[in-house]
Each structure stands twice: as C-alpha cells, then as structure tokens.
Amino acid sequence: MSKQYHDNLLSDDALDQLFREARTYNGWLEKDVSEDQMKLIYELAKMGPTSANMQPGRFVWVRSEEEKNKLADLASEGNQDKIRAAPVTLIIGYDIDFHEELPWLFPHTDAKSWFEGDEEGREEAAFRNSALQGAYVIMAARAIGLDCGPMSGVDLDGVTKAFFGDRPKVKADWVCSIGYGDRTTIFDRSPRPDFETFNQIV
Amino acid sequence: MSKQYHDNLLSDDALDQLFREARTYNGWLEKDVSEDQMKLIYELAKMGPTSANMQPGRFVWVRSEEEKNKLADLASEGNQDKIRAAPVTLIIGYDIDFHEELPWLFPHTDAKSWFEGDEEGREEAAFRNSALQGAYVIMAARAIGLDCGPMSGVDLDGVTKAFFGDRPKVKADWVCSIGYGDRTTIFDRSPRPDFETFNQIV
C-alpha cells in the first residue's frame, strides 16, 4: 500500500531547492557527476507518470570529451561552450515505436494494440510524454543537489543522426546539462507571470 | 544571489512524497482543493524552466459541477467518472502565439523576433514546453501534499473548442485531476525500467 502525504507541505528549504532558488545555469564548476548520480536521477525520474506507463524517453548521457565535442558542434553558437564545460549533458530523445515495449511496461491489458498503425499518434504521445520525463529528470537532479541547464538550441536532426543513428524510430528532442552550477554564470531571473495572467478557474 | 544546494539530497520522506510513493489516482476523497492551493501549485510550478522563459502553458482549473460535466463529456469512457469525482481537473493547454508575450517574459533581448513567421516551430516549442510545465505542476501538487491523476484520454479538439474557444491560437493538450487520492482506487505500480534499458552513457 502506497504511503500518502495529504496536506504535508515540504519544508521551505526543499521547495527552494526544487523550485524557488533553483536556476538555469550557463556555466559549471569543475566537479564531475558520477555514474551513481546519473542512475539515482533516473531511478527517481522514472517513477513519474507517463500515459499508459509508455516511458517513451530514450536518454544519452554525454560525458566523454569526444562525445561532448560531437554534441557541442551540433549546438547553436551560444550553447557550444556550455556543453563543453558541463560535466554531463543529457540528450532527451523519444521512441516513436515505444508501443513495442508496452506488453511489459503496461502488462495488465493489451495497450500495444491501441497504438498500432497510428505512427502520427504515437509520435505525438512520445513527444508529449518524453517531455514530461525530461521535466522529472530536472526535478530529480535538483532533488539530489545538482543543477540543470536545459537547452533547445541544438540541431535536432543532426543530434538524432549522431546519437540515435542506429535506432531509426528514435528522435532527439532537447538537451540538458547537469552538474554543479557556477553561480557567476546565471542571468537575472526572468519575470514570472501572476496566477491570473495564464490561469482561469471555472 | 540564488542559494545553492550542492550535494544536498532531499530527505527520504521528501523523495518518497515526490517520486517513489506518489501514485496516479483514479478516485478521490470528498475533500476540496482550495483556490489558495491552486495558486500555490502555480506559484511553485511557474519557477521551473522553459525555453527563453516562454511559459506557453495556458491553464484552466475546472472545479464547478457544470464545467466538470462539460469536460467529462469530452473524455474517454474510462476517464469520465474520474473527472466528475475529482475536486478539480486542470486542463493544460498551450498558446501557439506565446511569442507575443516574450517582450515582458524575456526582456533582455528581442526573443519575439526569433519566432515570428514560423508557426510550425512555435507550435512545436509550445507543445514541448507546456508539457514541461504540466510536469512541474504535478511535482508542485505533490510537494504541497496533493495527489494527481494525469490523463491523455480526452477529445482534445472538443476540449479546445469548449474551453479555449475564445482564444483561436490556444490548444488543449492533456488534463490532470488534482485532489486527495483515494488509495483504494490505485492499480498495482506498473513496472519501471532498469537504468540500462533506456539509458546510455557515452
């Protein structure tokens, strides 16, 4: 039986660490992220919900000099140095044929058949749900005391070819550096909207 | 100067509340979610990163009987009762014309011009980044002691027309009930993959 935490507000420190004081970093301290840390991030993030537990995200953790350079060369000019300096940059991709895994990921019903023959629908579902998984990764990295630098400015077709070339149904979607952020490299916090601006209660 | 939390692992209880013990609920205790709670969720979630701070998510919190019925009628059969029983169900939509807001959301450069004339690129960016925002909402709701029931099984065109009909560039993307989960309504946890299954370190 799962534990419940009804009305249990996390501590102010925890909310600061996850949301309010966490920032997007553009530069990194010279301190490695270990394989154990990468695995711990994933072990937490994979518990987050995806539609029919499809888990369409496919993740490449880029940490060797050679692979970092390969990825950096495919990034927009402003992102190249960030990728080279980060201890690790995660490529978030998604598998359009995620439904092949549903017999073991969602075993209590034949969910695979829901998606067969509808490649466009699968791509939409994979895109949406892998983005959720990437957000869980960001929250998990912060929860273990690391910082993130998510980036959209990369040549996605090039990254797909370079890092998922052996898997024709997997596409790269965005990337996220992870490490110990250098606080001298952050910008002023961009404005955040009031609740009323983009929310309605009906 | 932002505070940093390097190597500060949140407590086991906090990690359980956010990730390991949190579950997707299918039924709800009869206990309301207040407007203050909705606002607190948004105040936390809005701090999460989006590309160029675009904040493309547009959120409708559906809590009146009438609007709940309207939304439930547009859901797949299995989701209708869940929506009627939940204290509130959030519609996550996105604004394809989010770039109109960038002059105040990303004031230090002319980011609006990056997106002008490229509606397809804007829709892709809005879709990806509003999914991230929805994931931040899930994590924020859990962080304040509420449970979530995210759902993809709704008629998105119908929801778009019914709830964003006055905003022609906004599209509904998915929905998420929020409340106090009834633990008798959860399924067994679906299997989660080992790190090696969907991850590579290069």
Side-chain angles (χ1 to χ4, degrees), chain A residues 63-132:
Chain A
R63 66 162 176 182
S64 71
E65 284 304 303
E66 190 186 335
E67 302 290 329
K68 271 198 246 182
N69 283 325
K70 193 159 87 179
L71 180 60
D73 288 343
L74 294 162
S76 65
E77 210 175 292
N79 287 335
Q80 295 191 357
D81 287 348
K82 299 183 199 174
I83 291 170
R84 288 201 176 86
V88 62
T89 297
L90 178 63
I91 303 170
I92 294 98
Y94 57 82
D95 187 352
I96 298 169
D97 283 354
F98 65 83
H99 65 309
E100 300 288 353
E101 314 288 338
L102 290 179
W104 68 271
L105 283 173
F106 203 64
H108 60 281
T109 189
D110 178 17
K112 183 182 168 186
S113 68
W114 305 345
F115 296 99
E116 266 163 346
D118 179 16
E119 183 158 328
E120 198 182 328
R122 288 204 307 275
E123 178 150 13
E124 184 182 305
F127 184 77
R128 178 187 299 116
N129 284 278
S130 67
L132 299 186

Side-chain angles (χ1 to χ4, degrees), chain A residues 27-33 68 84-87 179-182, chain B residues 6:
Chain A
W28 304 93
L29 304 181
E30 284 191 31
K31 192 174 168 191
D32 269 349
V33 171
K68 271 198 246 182
R84 288 201 176 86
Y180 297 87
D182 176 351
Chain B
H6 290 167

